[in-house]
Amino acid sequence: MSNKEIVEGIDEIKSEIKSEIKSEIKSEADTDKQSENATDNETDNKAETNESKIVKISAFTKFVNIYEKTDTFSRLDYVLFALCALFCFFSFAHADIMYTGNRSWIMYNGFFKFYDNVSAWSGDYGANYFPSTFIVYAIWNLPLKLLGVNGPSALLDFRYGMTLWYKLLPVAAFVASCVLIYKIGILIGLKEKRAKLAMYAFMTMPVCFFSQFVFSQCDIFTVFFMLLGIYYFYRNEKYDMLRFAAFTGISITFKYFTAVILFVFILLRHKKVVEIIKYSVVGALPIGIEYLIFRNSVGFQKSVLGFGVLNYANDMNLSTGVASLSYMKVACVVVVLAAYFIKPKDKKDEIAWSLYLSCGAIVALFGFSRWHPQWLIVAAPIWVLSAIINRNFEKFMWVDLGLMFVLHFYCVYVFIGHMGEGVAMHMIWNKVFNVIDMWYHAAYVTPMISTNTTLSFFTAILIILFIFKHPKYTLEDFSEPEDKRSHMHVMRLRLIATFIMVTIPTFFALYVNTKQANTNLIVGTNYANIEMTEGKYVSQQLPTLEGTLSSISFRVNSLEADTDAILHMTITDEAGGLVYYYDFTYDELKTVASPKNEECGGGRYKHFFETPLEIQGTRNFTLNFYVTGNESDYDYTLSVGQNKSAPCHVIVDGVCTDDALDVSYINVYKTFKEAHDAYIKKISY
C-alpha cells in the first residue's frame, strides 16, 4: 500500500468519526429532553473524548508516514555502508592477502616454474592456491611494475601502500559482484527497487561484510565468477549453458566449494547423461588445465595438492570400524543427486529449486566440515537471492543477524587473535598504537560461550536457512513481496551491529597491548625468575621449525599455594597470527602427569598438541606466556635459563630438540619472594 493510499484511508476514518460525533450529539439533543439535568460539562467531556480519538489516529498516521519513509531504500544507505566499509578498508587486513600479493610478483620470473621459484624465494610451501589467484594479482600488479615500483624484498615485506593496493582488487570484485546480484534480480523478475534491495542485502550481510572488509581475503573472486555463471544460467539464451559451466569452472580454481553448485545446476536442468557429461567437462576444464600445467612441479604438489586444509572435508566423520564416513561428502552427494530427480515445472520453479538446493549445498559444505570464517562469503549471494523471492524475507534478515552473533562468539575463541586485533596489526592503526606483540586479544572482552554450543547453533541456523527456503515458501510473484515492505531497519541494524562487534573489541585490545610490559626471555646460562603478575607478557622465539610439531613441553613445579589466576600460553607465527593457545589453571599445573613422549627423558613435563601441528614449509614461531585474573598476592613465576638436564623441549617429527627453549619451569607460588627462595633452595638441575 502506498503512502498516499494510507493517508487517504486515515482521512476517511477521521471524517466518519467526526460525522458520528455530530450525529451522536444531535441525537442526544433531540431525545434527551427528559434529561434536562444533563450539564453542558458532560457534553463537553464527550466531545473531548471523541476528539482524543482523532488525535491518536493523527499520531498513528504520522508514525506510519515516518516508518514508510525510513523503510525505503535511499542514497543515505549507500553513505552508511560506504562509511563503514571505508573505515574497515583502511583499518583491517589479514596477513594472507599480503602473502598472496607478494608471492604473485614471483610469477614475472617464470610462469611455468612459479611454484618452485616462490618456494625457493619464501622458504616455505605456502602458495596454497591454484594459479588463478596469483595470475589475477600478477596482472593487477603489472602497472606498478611498469611504473618502476620495486616488488617485495621478502615474503614478510609488508608495506602499507602496497597492502591497500592488494586490497583494492578484491574490493573491485566485490563491487562487480554487487552489480551482478542486481542484474540477476532483474533477470529473475524482481522490480528495479526490489533488485537494488537484494544488492544491499548482499552488501550488508554480516558474513559478507566481515570477509571482504575486515578479513580482506580473496574469496570474493570465487563469488564473482560463480555469480557470472548463475547470471547466464538464468538468462538461458543460446550458448549460455556453456558460459555458465565455464565461468563456474573458473570460480572453482579460486575456491573448490562452487563445484557442488556447478553439479546442482547442471543436474537440475539436464537429465540426459550426454548433456551432463558435456557441461561437467566444460566446468572441469579450467582447473584441469591448470593442474596439467603444474602437475610436475614439486612446489605445486606440496603447496597446493598437499595443503592441509583439504583434510577439512574429513574432520567430521563416522567411523565404521573399517572406514570413515564423511558427513560432508555424503551431504554433497545427496544434494547433487536430489537435483537429478527434480524436474522443475517452469522457469520460476527452476529458479526456486536451484537456489533451494544451493542452500542445501551450503549446509553440506559448512555445516558438516571445518571451515574458516572468510569462506562463508561464498554462501552470501545464495542466501540473499533465495531470501528475496521468499515470503519470509524479513525473518531471514533477522536470522542473518543472529548468525552474526553466533559466529562472533565462536570465531573469537577458535580463531583467537585473527578476528580483531590480528587483522589490524599490519594496517594504519598499528602505526598509531605501535603494537609489536599481542598478548591481550579481543576474545578477552567477549563473553565466553562454549564453542561446542555456538558451533551447534551455527549448523542449526544453516539447516533452518535451508528448510524454509523450500519452493513452497516462495512468492507467487517475485516482483513484489506480499507486505510490500523493504525491512530496511533490519539491514541497517545488521550492518551497524557487525561494525560495532568488530571494531570496539579490536581497538580495546590494541589499546591494552600498548599499556602492558613485554619482557623477552634472554638466552644465556644465568637462571632467573620472572614474576608473572597480571599484565606481564613474556615471549621467546622458537627455533626455525619444519615438519610436524608434535609436542612442546616444560617442567612444572609448585608449592602448596592456591590461586584463581589463569596462565595463558600462545604460539604465534611470524605474522602475529595465533597458531595455538592453551589456558592453565593452578590445579592443572599442580597435577601434571608423566610425559607422553619419552624421547626427552623423564620428569614432570606438561605437553601440548594432542593433535600434531602440521607446519607448512619452514616457519618461525613465538612462544608467549601471560597471566589474567590473579589475586593480589598469588603469582605464577617462570624459571628461566639454559640447562642440558632440564630444558623445555620441542619435539618435531618425534625427535627431541634439547635447549630449544629457555623456560625450564613454570612455578606457582604465593609471593614472588617465596618463589625466589624456593628457587634457590629447592630447585636442582
Side-chain angles (χ1 to χ4, degrees), residues 459-492:
T459 300
I461 291 173
L462 294 197
I463 293 172
I464 289 296
L465 290 174
F466 167 57
I467 293 175
F468 291 96
K469 298 289 182 67
H470 190 278
K472 71 178 182 179
Y473 296 107
T474 56
L475 297 166
E476 292 295 328
D477 181 6
F478 287 175
S479 63
E480 280 290 353
E482 294 172 352
D483 60 6
K484 301 185 185 301
R485 288 166 54 191
S486 300
H487 307 291
M488 287 301 300
H489 59 292
V490 189
M491 278 181 272
R492 292 172 190 137

mmCIF file of all heavy atoms in Angstrom, residues 459-492:
data_model
loop_
_atom_site.group_PDB
_atom_site.id
_atom_site.type_symbol
_atom_site.label_atom_id
_atom_site.label_comp_id
_atom_site.label_asym_id
_atom_site.label_seq_id
_atom_site.Cartn_x
_atom_site.Cartn_y
_atom_site.Cartn_z
ATOM 1 N N THR A 459 25.371 -24.590 12.884
ATOM 2 C CA THR A 459 24.878 -25.621 11.969
ATOM 3 C C THR A 459 23.355 -25.657 11.961
ATOM 4 O O THR A 459 22.729 -25.834 10.905
ATOM 5 C CB THR A 459 25.445 -26.996 12.367
ATOM 6 O OG1 THR A 459 26.874 -26.954 12.301
ATOM 7 C CG2 THR A 459 24.943 -28.080 11.430
ATOM 8 N N ALA A 460 22.743 -25.473 13.129
ATOM 9 C CA ALA A 460 21.275 -25.449 13.200
ATOM 10 C C ALA A 460 20.709 -24.312 12.362
ATOM 11 O O ALA A 460 19.712 -24.488 11.637
ATOM 12 C CB ALA A 460 20.832 -25.313 14.654
ATOM 13 N N ILE A 461 21.339 -23.134 12.415
ATOM 14 C CA ILE A 461 20.871 -21.993 11.625
ATOM 15 C C ILE A 461 21.017 -22.269 10.136
ATOM 16 O O ILE A 461 20.134 -21.937 9.332
ATOM 17 C CB ILE A 461 21.632 -20.714 12.028
ATOM 18 C CG1 ILE A 461 21.224 -20.290 13.450
ATOM 19 C CG2 ILE A 461 21.336 -19.572 11.050
ATOM 20 C CD1 ILE A 461 22.038 -19.151 14.008
ATOM 21 N N LEU A 462 22.126 -22.898 9.741
ATOM 22 C CA LEU A 462 22.291 -23.253 8.325
ATOM 23 C C LEU A 462 21.171 -24.177 7.852
ATOM 24 O O LEU A 462 20.663 -24.027 6.728
ATOM 25 C CB LEU A 462 23.640 -23.943 8.100
ATOM 26 C CG LEU A 462 24.925 -23.149 8.317
ATOM 27 C CD1 LEU A 462 26.100 -23.863 7.657
ATOM 28 C CD2 LEU A 462 24.815 -21.741 7.772
ATOM 29 N N ILE A 463 20.796 -25.103 8.703
ATOM 30 C CA ILE A 463 19.723 -26.039 8.340
ATOM 31 C C ILE A 463 18.390 -25.302 8.214
ATOM 32 O O ILE A 463 17.599 -25.560 7.298
ATOM 33 C CB ILE A 463 19.638 -27.178 9.376
ATOM 34 C CG1 ILE A 463 20.917 -28.043 9.304
ATOM 35 C CG2 ILE A 463 18.405 -28.040 9.135
ATOM 36 C CD1 ILE A 463 21.017 -29.077 10.404
ATOM 37 N N ILE A 464 18.119 -24.366 9.126
ATOM 38 C CA ILE A 464 16.894 -23.553 9.051
ATOM 39 C C ILE A 464 16.879 -22.739 7.762
ATOM 40 O O ILE A 464 15.849 -22.627 7.074
ATOM 41 C CB ILE A 464 16.787 -22.625 10.272
ATOM 42 C CG1 ILE A 464 16.481 -23.440 11.531
ATOM 43 C CG2 ILE A 464 15.725 -21.553 10.062
ATOM 44 C CD1 ILE A 464 15.145 -24.144 11.508
ATOM 45 N N LEU A 465 18.032 -22.143 7.423
ATOM 46 C CA LEU A 465 18.133 -21.351 6.191
ATOM 47 C C LEU A 465 17.952 -22.223 4.946
ATOM 48 O O LEU A 465 17.727 -21.704 3.854
ATOM 49 C CB LEU A 465 19.490 -20.647 6.127
ATOM 50 C CG LEU A 465 19.700 -19.502 7.128
ATOM 51 C CD1 LEU A 465 21.127 -18.991 7.062
ATOM 52 C CD2 LEU A 465 18.720 -18.366 6.867
ATOM 53 N N PHE A 466 18.060 -23.509 5.104
ATOM 54 C CA PHE A 466 17.810 -24.447 4.002
ATOM 55 C C PHE A 466 16.347 -24.899 3.977
ATOM 56 O O PHE A 466 15.665 -24.781 2.960
ATOM 57 C CB PHE A 466 18.743 -25.645 4.138
ATOM 58 C CG PHE A 466 18.390 -26.819 3.273
ATOM 59 C CD1 PHE A 466 18.300 -26.678 1.892
ATOM 60 C CD2 PHE A 466 18.150 -28.068 3.825
ATOM 61 C CE1 PHE A 466 17.975 -27.764 1.077
ATOM 62 C CE2 PHE A 466 17.834 -29.156 3.030
ATOM 63 C CZ PHE A 466 17.739 -29.006 1.654
ATOM 64 N N ILE A 467 15.846 -25.359 5.105
ATOM 65 C CA ILE A 467 14.493 -25.928 5.151
ATOM 66 C C ILE A 467 13.438 -24.931 4.676
ATOM 67 O O ILE A 467 12.583 -25.249 3.845
ATOM 68 C CB ILE A 467 14.165 -26.411 6.580
ATOM 69 C CG1 ILE A 467 15.045 -27.602 6.959
ATOM 70 C CG2 ILE A 467 12.685 -26.778 6.694
ATOM 71 C CD1 ILE A 467 14.874 -28.051 8.396
ATOM 72 N N PHE A 468 13.499 -23.707 5.185
ATOM 73 C CA PHE A 468 12.437 -22.736 4.900
ATOM 74 C C PHE A 468 12.700 -21.916 3.642
ATOM 75 O O PHE A 468 12.025 -20.916 3.397
ATOM 76 C CB PHE A 468 12.215 -21.844 6.120
ATOM 77 C CG PHE A 468 11.616 -22.580 7.276
ATOM 78 C CD1 PHE A 468 12.424 -23.094 8.282
ATOM 79 C CD2 PHE A 468 10.252 -22.817 7.332
ATOM 80 C CE1 PHE A 468 11.868 -23.797 9.341
ATOM 81 C CE2 PHE A 468 9.687 -23.523 8.379
ATOM 82 C CZ PHE A 468 10.505 -24.022 9.398
ATOM 83 N N LYS A 469 13.665 -22.347 2.845
ATOM 84 C CA LYS A 469 13.829 -21.797 1.501
ATOM 85 C C LYS A 469 13.173 -22.721 0.460
ATOM 86 O O LYS A 469 13.337 -22.510 -0.746
ATOM 87 C CB LYS A 469 15.325 -21.634 1.177
ATOM 88 C CG LYS A 469 16.087 -20.668 2.083
ATOM 89 C CD LYS A 469 15.712 -19.229 1.836
ATOM 90 C CE LYS A 469 16.517 -18.274 2.705
ATOM 91 N NZ LYS A 469 17.943 -18.220 2.402
ATOM 92 N N HIS A 470 12.485 -23.725 0.933
ATOM 93 C CA HIS A 470 11.815 -24.669 0.031
ATOM 94 C C HIS A 470 10.904 -23.904 -0.937
ATOM 95 O O HIS A 470 10.292 -22.890 -0.555
ATOM 96 C CB HIS A 470 11.005 -25.676 0.839
ATOM 97 C CG HIS A 470 10.489 -26.824 0.022
ATOM 98 N ND1 HIS A 470 9.347 -26.739 -0.749
ATOM 99 C CD2 HIS A 470 10.986 -28.074 -0.154
ATOM 100 C CE1 HIS A 470 9.138 -27.889 -1.352
ATOM 101 N NE2 HIS A 470 10.123 -28.724 -1.019
ATOM 102 N N PRO A 471 10.806 -24.356 -2.187
ATOM 103 C CA PRO A 471 9.976 -23.653 -3.186
ATOM 104 C C PRO A 471 8.536 -23.390 -2.771
ATOM 105 O O PRO A 471 7.914 -22.435 -3.255
ATOM 106 C CB PRO A 471 10.034 -24.597 -4.398
ATOM 107 C CG PRO A 471 11.379 -25.248 -4.282
ATOM 108 C CD PRO A 471 11.590 -25.446 -2.801
ATOM 109 N N LYS A 472 8.009 -24.177 -1.836
ATOM 110 C CA LYS A 472 6.617 -23.933 -1.429
ATOM 111 C C LYS A 472 6.479 -22.631 -0.646
ATOM 112 O O LYS A 472 5.367 -22.118 -0.472
ATOM 113 C CB LYS A 472 6.088 -25.109 -0.612
ATOM 114 C CG LYS A 472 6.669 -25.243 0.782
ATOM 115 C CD LYS A 472 6.036 -26.426 1.513
ATOM 116 C CE LYS A 472 6.582 -26.555 2.938
ATOM 117 N NZ LYS A 472 5.953 -27.697 3.651
ATOM 118 N N TYR A 473 7.618 -22.088 -0.180
ATOM 119 C CA TYR A 473 7.577 -20.831 0.559
ATOM 120 C C TYR A 473 7.891 -19.623 -0.326
ATOM 121 O O TYR A 473 7.946 -18.495 0.160
ATOM 122 C CB TYR A 473 8.581 -20.858 1.719
ATOM 123 C CG TYR A 473 8.265 -21.893 2.776
ATOM 124 C CD1 TYR A 473 9.033 -23.049 2.881
ATOM 125 C CD2 TYR A 473 7.214 -21.714 3.661
ATOM 126 C CE1 TYR A 473 8.766 -24.005 3.846
ATOM 127 C CE2 TYR A 473 6.926 -22.666 4.634
ATOM 128 C CZ TYR A 473 7.707 -23.811 4.719
ATOM 129 O OH TYR A 473 7.422 -24.751 5.673
ATOM 130 N N THR A 474 8.090 -19.859 -1.601
ATOM 131 C CA THR A 474 8.434 -18.739 -2.489
ATOM 132 C C THR A 474 7.178 -17.927 -2.835
ATOM 133 O O THR A 474 6.054 -18.415 -2.760
ATOM 134 C CB THR A 474 9.089 -19.230 -3.788
ATOM 135 O OG1 THR A 474 8.209 -20.161 -4.434
ATOM 136 C CG2 THR A 474 10.421 -19.888 -3.513
ATOM 137 N N LEU A 475 7.401 -16.686 -3.235
ATOM 138 C CA LEU A 475 6.309 -15.787 -3.595
ATOM 139 C C LEU A 475 5.657 -16.215 -4.905
ATOM 140 O O LEU A 475 6.336 -16.750 -5.796
ATOM 141 C CB LEU A 475 6.839 -14.358 -3.740
ATOM 142 C CG LEU A 475 7.423 -13.711 -2.471
ATOM 143 C CD1 LEU A 475 8.210 -12.469 -2.845
ATOM 144 C CD2 LEU A 475 6.309 -13.371 -1.488
ATOM 145 N N GLU A 476 4.388 -15.963 -4.999
ATOM 146 C CA GLU A 476 3.694 -16.222 -6.256
ATOM 147 C C GLU A 476 4.211 -15.290 -7.346
ATOM 148 O O GLU A 476 4.374 -15.671 -8.498
ATOM 149 C CB GLU A 476 2.181 -16.030 -6.070
ATOM 150 C CG GLU A 476 1.514 -17.070 -5.186
ATOM 151 C CD GLU A 476 1.575 -18.461 -5.810
ATOM 152 O OE1 GLU A 476 1.540 -18.558 -7.059
ATOM 153 O OE2 GLU A 476 1.670 -19.440 -5.050
ATOM 154 N N ASP A 477 4.478 -14.060 -6.936
ATOM 155 C CA ASP A 477 5.001 -13.062 -7.861
ATOM 156 C C ASP A 477 6.333 -12.553 -7.308
ATOM 157 O O ASP A 477 6.375 -11.902 -6.261
ATOM 158 C CB ASP A 477 4.001 -11.908 -8.002
ATOM 159 C CG ASP A 477 4.493 -10.840 -8.991
ATOM 160 O OD1 ASP A 477 5.535 -11.062 -9.629
ATOM 161 O OD2 ASP A 477 3.814 -9.797 -9.103
ATOM 162 N N PHE A 478 7.444 -12.866 -7.978
ATOM 163 C CA PHE A 478 8.767 -12.480 -7.499
ATOM 164 C C PHE A 478 8.962 -10.959 -7.473
ATOM 165 O O PHE A 478 9.808 -10.453 -6.751
ATOM 166 C CB PHE A 478 9.858 -13.086 -8.381
ATOM 167 C CG PHE A 478 10.047 -14.570 -8.192
ATOM 168 C CD1 PHE A 478 10.927 -15.278 -8.997
ATOM 169 C CD2 PHE A 478 9.356 -15.251 -7.207
ATOM 170 C CE1 PHE A 478 11.105 -16.642 -8.830
ATOM 171 C CE2 PHE A 478 9.523 -16.620 -7.025
ATOM 172 C CZ PHE A 478 10.391 -17.315 -7.838
ATOM 173 N N SER A 479 8.189 -10.237 -8.261
ATOM 174 C CA SER A 479 8.439 -8.806 -8.430
ATOM 175 C C SER A 479 8.179 -8.009 -7.161
ATOM 176 O O SER A 479 8.838 -7.011 -6.894
ATOM 177 C CB SER A 479 7.588 -8.245 -9.573
ATOM 178 O OG SER A 479 6.203 -8.364 -9.266
ATOM 179 N N GLU A 480 7.204 -8.422 -6.331
ATOM 180 C CA GLU A 480 6.848 -7.670 -5.128
ATOM 181 C C GLU A 480 6.542 -8.623 -3.984
ATOM 182 O O GLU A 480 5.890 -9.648 -4.178
ATOM 183 C CB GLU A 480 5.614 -6.792 -5.374
ATOM 184 C CG GLU A 480 5.877 -5.489 -6.090
ATOM 185 C CD GLU A 480 6.633 -4.469 -5.249
ATOM 186 O OE1 GLU A 480 6.851 -4.706 -4.048
ATOM 187 O OE2 GLU A 480 7.007 -3.430 -5.808
ATOM 188 N N PRO A 481 6.977 -8.301 -2.765
ATOM 189 C CA PRO A 481 6.590 -9.120 -1.613
ATOM 190 C C PRO A 481 5.140 -8.867 -1.252
ATOM 191 O O PRO A 481 4.552 -7.861 -1.655
ATOM 192 C CB PRO A 481 7.524 -8.617 -0.508
ATOM 193 C CG PRO A 481 7.809 -7.205 -0.876
ATOM 194 C CD PRO A 481 7.844 -7.177 -2.379
ATOM 195 N N GLU A 482 4.558 -9.771 -0.496
ATOM 196 C CA GLU A 482 3.148 -9.650 -0.148
ATOM 197 C C GLU A 482 2.882 -8.441 0.742
ATOM 198 O O GLU A 482 1.841 -7.788 0.630
ATOM 199 C CB GLU A 482 2.685 -10.936 0.545
ATOM 200 C CG GLU A 482 2.704 -12.151 -0.397
ATOM 201 C CD GLU A 482 2.426 -13.453 0.334
ATOM 202 O OE1 GLU A 482 2.381 -13.428 1.574
ATOM 203 O OE2 GLU A 482 2.268 -14.488 -0.338
ATOM 204 N N ASP A 483 3.820 -8.104 1.644
ATOM 205 C CA ASP A 483 3.602 -6.962 2.533
ATOM 206 C C ASP A 483 4.101 -5.647 1.934
ATOM 207 O O ASP A 483 3.925 -4.579 2.517
ATOM 208 C CB ASP A 483 4.270 -7.185 3.896
ATOM 209 C CG ASP A 483 5.778 -7.391 3.779
ATOM 210 O OD1 ASP A 483 6.325 -7.252 2.663
ATOM 211 O OD2 ASP A 483 6.409 -7.696 4.804
ATOM 212 N N LYS A 484 4.762 -5.719 0.772
ATOM 213 C CA LYS A 484 5.262 -4.551 0.034
ATOM 214 C C LYS A 484 6.226 -3.696 0.863
ATOM 215 O O LYS A 484 6.360 -2.499 0.653
ATOM 216 C CB LYS A 484 4.101 -3.685 -0.471
ATOM 217 C CG LYS A 484 3.149 -4.420 -1.391
ATOM 218 C CD LYS A 484 2.094 -3.493 -1.950
ATOM 219 C CE LYS A 484 1.065 -4.265 -2.779
ATOM 220 N NZ LYS A 484 1.675 -4.978 -3.911
ATOM 221 N N ARG A 485 6.887 -4.309 1.821
ATOM 222 C CA ARG A 485 7.831 -3.596 2.666
ATOM 223 C C ARG A 485 9.264 -3.994 2.330
ATOM 224 O O ARG A 485 9.514 -5.075 1.802
ATOM 225 C CB ARG A 485 7.539 -3.878 4.144
ATOM 226 C CG ARG A 485 6.274 -3.212 4.661
ATOM 227 C CD ARG A 485 5.847 -3.789 6.001
ATOM 228 N NE ARG A 485 6.921 -3.729 6.982
ATOM 229 C CZ ARG A 485 6.873 -4.368 8.156
ATOM 230 N NH1 ARG A 485 5.829 -5.103 8.475
ATOM 231 N NH2 ARG A 485 7.870 -4.247 9.008
ATOM 232 N N SER A 486 10.208 -3.102 2.675
ATOM 233 C CA SER A 486 11.619 -3.350 2.375
ATOM 234 C C SER A 486 12.394 -3.880 3.573
ATOM 235 O O SER A 486 13.429 -4.511 3.416
ATOM 236 C CB SER A 486 12.289 -2.054 1.890
ATOM 237 O OG SER A 486 11.671 -1.578 0.724
ATOM 238 N N HIS A 487 11.923 -3.602 4.784
ATOM 239 C CA HIS A 487 12.581 -4.043 6.024
ATOM 240 C C HIS A 487 14.008 -3.510 6.112
ATOM 241 O O HIS A 487 14.931 -4.209 6.540
ATOM 242 C CB HIS A 487 12.580 -5.561 6.122
ATOM 243 C CG HIS A 487 11.218 -6.172 5.948
ATOM 244 N ND1 HIS A 487 10.208 -6.018 6.880
ATOM 245 C CD2 HIS A 487 10.692 -6.918 4.942
ATOM 246 C CE1 HIS A 487 9.122 -6.649 6.454
ATOM 247 N NE2 HIS A 487 9.380 -7.196 5.286
ATOM 248 N N MET A 488 14.165 -2.247 5.736
ATOM 249 C CA MET A 488 15.481 -1.642 5.758
ATOM 250 C C MET A 488 16.036 -1.523 7.180
ATOM 251 O O MET A 488 17.249 -1.523 7.379
ATOM 252 C CB MET A 488 15.437 -0.259 5.106
ATOM 253 C CG MET A 488 15.299 -0.280 3.593
ATOM 254 S SD MET A 488 16.663 -1.164 2.799
ATOM 255 C CE MET A 488 18.060 -0.202 3.345
ATOM 256 N N HIS A 489 15.149 -1.410 8.177
ATOM 257 C CA HIS A 489 15.622 -1.274 9.554
ATOM 258 C C HIS A 489 16.463 -2.475 9.975
ATOM 259 O O HIS A 489 17.442 -2.329 10.702
ATOM 260 C CB HIS A 489 14.433 -1.085 10.504
ATOM 261 C CG HIS A 489 13.439 -2.205 10.475
ATOM 262 N ND1 HIS A 489 12.633 -2.457 9.381
ATOM 263 C CD2 HIS A 489 13.133 -3.152 11.400
ATOM 264 C CE1 HIS A 489 11.865 -3.499 9.644
ATOM 265 N NE2 HIS A 489 12.160 -3.940 10.848
ATOM 266 N N VAL A 490 16.102 -3.674 9.487
ATOM 267 C CA VAL A 490 16.866 -4.870 9.844
ATOM 268 C C VAL A 490 18.235 -4.850 9.171
ATOM 269 O O VAL A 490 19.252 -5.159 9.788
ATOM 270 C CB VAL A 490 16.110 -6.157 9.449
ATOM 271 C CG1 VAL A 490 16.812 -7.379 10.033
ATOM 272 C CG2 VAL A 490 14.674 -6.111 9.912
ATOM 273 N N MET A 491 18.261 -4.462 7.906
ATOM 274 C CA MET A 491 19.531 -4.456 7.182
ATOM 275 C C MET A 491 20.489 -3.407 7.730
ATOM 276 O O MET A 491 21.695 -3.635 7.824
ATOM 277 C CB MET A 491 19.275 -4.250 5.691
ATOM 278 C CG MET A 491 18.882 -5.548 4.997
ATOM 279 S SD MET A 491 18.591 -5.361 3.241
ATOM 280 C CE MET A 491 16.885 -4.925 3.258
ATOM 281 N N ARG A 492 19.955 -2.261 8.105
ATOM 282 C CA ARG A 492 20.811 -1.236 8.723
ATOM 283 C C ARG A 492 21.344 -1.734 10.059
ATOM 284 O O ARG A 492 22.509 -1.511 10.401
ATOM 285 C CB ARG A 492 20.020 0.057 8.902
ATOM 286 C CG ARG A 492 19.663 0.736 7.586
ATOM 287 C CD ARG A 492 18.712 1.892 7.803
ATOM 288 N NE ARG A 492 18.194 2.400 6.545
ATOM 289 C CZ ARG A 492 16.932 2.726 6.320
ATOM 290 N NH1 ARG A 492 16.033 2.596 7.274
ATOM 291 N NH2 ARG A 492 16.550 3.190 5.138
#
